[in-house]
Amino acid sequence: TSCAMIGVSSALRMAAGSCDGLVLTDAGAVIADGAAGDVLTPANLKAVYGVEARVELGGDWPSITVLHRVGA
């Protein structure tokens, strides 16, 4: 038996650590979907949130460090 749950969160670390798959959207458009490592990439975070970030996947929860805003 399988089960699906849909939730909305801006807590990226929590979502990545709690869910098997993620969907990243921007203004209603799907930017990326799949496993956390495929969705939470520096390029996707830059495109959606306008930040340069370092993403480290490992352990139960990923580490996302915002380095600076783009254009700042």
Side-chain angles (χ1 to χ4, degrees):
T1 304
S2 61
C3 177
M5 183 179 92
I6 298 174
V8 177
S9 178
S10 61
L12 301 179
R13 290 186 67 231
M14 182 188 73
S18 304
C19 302
D20 294 329
L22 303 176
V23 178
L24 181 65
T25 64
D26 186 24
V30 174
I31 304 303
D33 68 284
D38 298 327
V39 174
L40 298 179
T41 66
N44 287 342
L45 296 177
K46 183 177 182 178
V48 173
Y49 295 104
V51 296
E52 295 284 348
R54 181 176 53 244
V55 179
E56 297 175 19
L57 300 172
D60 294 331
W61 294 76
S63 172
I64 301 170
T65 304
V66 174
L67 304 173
H68 59 86
R69 290 197 55 80
V70 175

